Amino acid sequence: MLAHEPPRPVPLAELAACPVGDVFRRLGDKWSMLLVILLGTRPHRYNDLHRSIEGISQRMLTRTLRALEADGLVRRTVFPTVPPSVEYSLTPLGRSLLAPLSALADWAVEHEQDIAAARTATA
């Protein structure tokens, strides 16, 4: 079923260098996936994003946007206004992530009850 079967046991060095794990760690944090989904609807200004996500601090929003920008998923555009305006949007690479994220979200909704039942059974 998997395209690539991991070796057994998985060497720590290989696990640390795995690009799949790296992407999962980035998108698995508390805010990154939400930001990608929001930016998938349209470009947003910083304050618009901050108002749209309850509970995110300015510091964490800035850190997460910078990390997504460093990964090539988000583009930061500065407009020469007074004061300068900044807008965030998805890059083509970031847009290509929307379909797999949507598939994962669909899977989670489809299996929500199965997961809840399994958690109840093991509690």
Side-chain angles (χ1 to χ4, degrees):
M1 179 145 216
L2 293 175
H4 301 286
E5 186 68 28
R8 290 200 171 76
V10 178
L12 281 178
E14 188 170 321
L15 186 61
C18 177
V20 175
D22 186 45
V23 169
F24 282 180
R25 279 187 293 279
R26 166 73 69 226
L27 294 176
D29 72 24
K30 189 171 182 177
W31 307 111
S32 293
M33 194 178 314
L34 181 56
L35 282 167
V36 169
I37 291 166
L38 280 172
L39 292 172
T41 62
R42 64 177 173 81
H44 286 72
R45 294 204 173 164
Y46 181 90
N47 286 330
D48 187 26
L49 286 170
H50 191 244
R51 282 189 299 271
S52 297
I53 305 172
E54 188 173 322
I56 192 168
S57 68
Q58 288 185 339
R59 180 175 183 262
M60 186 53 65
L61 177 57
T62 299
R63 288 181 66 188
T64 305
L65 286 168
R66 284 182 182 162
L68 292 170
E69 185 180 8
D71 287 347
L73 301 174
V74 169
R75 176 181 300 112
R76 179 179 187 266
T77 305
V78 179
F79 296 97
T81 58
V82 178
S85 317
V86 178
E87 186 175 83
Y88 294 90
S89 59
L90 290 182
T91 64
L93 181 62
R95 289 210 157 281
S96 73
L97 184 57
L98 292 173
L101 283 181
S102 180
L104 181 59
D106 291 345
W107 179 89
V109 169
E110 180 181 336
H111 296 285
E112 177 184 18
Q113 292 180 349
D114 300 326
I115 295 167
R119 288 177 179 166
T120 301
T122 60

